[in-house]
Each structure stands twice: as structure tokens, then as C-alpha cells.
Amino acid sequence: MPFYSEERIALFIDGSNLYAAARALGFDIDYKRLLGEFATQGRLVRAFYYTALIEDQEYSPIRPLVDWLDYNGYTMVTKPTKEFTDSAGRRKYKGNMDIELAIDMMELAKHIDHAVLFSGDGDFRRLVESIQRQGVRVSVVSTVKSQPPMIADELRRQADFFIELKDLEKKVGRAAGQKSDRDYDDYPGDFEPYEDAEEIA
């Protein structure tokens, strides 16, 4: 991977986008292994994880994952989803975390040498450009090996490095449906907001 051992690194993980990309490739992310992998690449300063939560439900299907990440080295950034009804009368949820991610990356830029963005969202192109002008190298983790590709071409071109998520599978993945040694189940498939990355991206 394109890192120097003395670099200060920060991870910025768009939770729903990474989930959708990994699921499209047929595996789930093991977040303990992911943190460990990037900690070996340099000096890991911070690992942010962004996700929206349905607050008015008795049990949120991603709450176990959020709690586990919070206790195991990740900085969690969450906010409540907004409920709306689509044109077919179906109840849907929306939760956009782009602003929170952008603010954190811009604020942290002066303290890091390398930002790793886990997202393929083309809206982040200008953010990446701004961070690069501050002297920070930016790697983007997503995939072009899904159908359709999960990364916007303009974001891939802007990044200093593109890291193909499929190439990380053996280092940070577990097979979809495979039980982990922890008792969370990241984004069960029946949780509607995350079935379509565009809905919550």
C-alpha cells in the first residue's frame, strides 16, 4: 500500500458506502482486522466511522456494531436518520453524513500526513482536492470490480492513490454471513436504508 512508515494516518469511513461496496464484492468487513492493517502502515492518529441511526426504534440493527466500534479504537460520528415516504408510499430513511466527514477531515488535515477515505462518493472530490492543497496525501478505498463500480470516476482521478477494496479482502474481510468472534452483525440485510447506498449516501 502507498504509505510511509513515519506518516501520520487518519481513516475516514463512510459506513454505508463501505458496507455497500463490500457487500457488492461478496464479503463483510472485519473492523478489528481493518484497524490493525492500517495501524501497521504508519502512525494511525484516528479512525472515524460515520453512520446514521434510526433513533425511535426500540432496537437498532446496527447498534451492536456501533457500540463495538466505539469501545475498540474507532471514533464514532452518528446522527439520527430522517424519515420520509417515497412516491410508492413506502416508508424510507435518509441520513447523509457527508458534512460531518468533510468537517472532520478539514480540521484534522494539519495534524496528519495521509488521509484514507473509505467511500466512492463523487461529492467528496472537492474535499479531497482541498486536503491535498494543505499538503496531505489522500488515498481512496472503494471498488471498480463490482457491477456497477462503486467509485465515481472523478473521485478516483482526484485521489493520490486508489486502493481497490477487493485487494484488501484477505487482510480485512470475512465471508458474507460468516460469524465473527464478536457478537455484532454489521448492517443486517433487512435494514432498508443500507440496501441502497444512494439512499443514505
Side-chain angles (χ1 to χ4, degrees):
M1 283 196 275
F3 298 94
Y4 300 121
S5 60
E6 71 279 6
E7 278 188 318
R8 296 168 300 171
I9 301 169
L11 311 183
F12 299 86
I13 302 172
D14 178 345
S16 63
N17 201 288
L18 176 58
Y19 167 76
R23 186 54 59 94
L25 293 171
F27 71 95
D28 291 328
I29 301 294
D30 183 320
Y31 290 96
K32 183 176 183 179
R33 294 180 70 196
L34 185 149
L35 201 64
E37 175 62 25
F38 283 88
T40 67
Q41 302 300 323
R43 294 164 51 202
L44 186 59
V45 175
R46 192 79 67 223
F48 291 97
Y49 186 97
Y50 301 84
T51 189
L53 296 172
I54 302 176
E55 295 288 353
D56 60 350
Q57 287 188 337
E58 277 188 34
Y59 172 75
S60 169
I62 64 168
R63 176 58 71 181
L65 171 64
V66 168
D67 289 343
W68 187 91
L69 293 173
D70 208 13
Y71 280 107
N72 287 276
Y74 288 84
T75 300
M76 299 304 300
V77 183
T78 64
K79 72 178 180 184
T81 57
K82 293 182 180 177
E83 185 179 333
F84 69 98
T85 304
D86 69 9
S87 57
R90 293 175 298 198
R91 206 167 81 171
K92 301 261 185 167
Y93 299 91
K94 194 176 184 76
N96 191 314
M97 301 296 295
D98 291 5
I99 295 297
E100 288 81 1
L101 190 155
I103 289 171
D104 288 343
M105 190 181 287
M106 293 182 79
E107 286 184 347
L108 207 61
K110 59 183 171 287
H111 303 291
I112 60 174
D113 305 302
H114 200 144
V116 184
L117 173 63
F118 290 77
S119 181
D121 189 341
D123 290 345
F124 288 128
R125 190 205 68 79
R126 276 289 278 129
L127 170 64
V128 169
E129 182 183 28
S130 173
I131 298 303
Q132 288 168 329
R133 285 201 303 266
Q134 297 179 56
V136 177
R137 300 194 310 152
V138 181
S139 290
V140 172
V141 181
S142 188
T143 184
V144 295
K145 295 188 176 179
S146 59
Q147 289 299 326
M150 297 295 288
I151 185 167
D153 188 59
E154 62 269 23
L155 179 62
R156 184 179 178 187
R157 288 170 183 267
Q158 185 65 50
D160 294 295
F161 305 99
F162 169 68
I163 300 173
E164 171 57 55
L165 183 59
K166 181 68 175 173
D167 296 342
L168 292 179
E169 180 178 0
K170 290 182 179 177
K171 295 179 178 179
V172 305
R174 57 188 171 93
Q178 174 187 338
K179 288 299 178 186
S180 169
D181 58 351
R182 293 170 301 280
D183 61 352
Y184 69 73
D185 181 15
D186 39 335
Y187 299 130
D190 60 354
F191 184 41
E192 190 162 357
Y194 297 93
E195 288 181 357
D196 180 355
E198 286 303 310
E199 261 177 48
I200 203 158

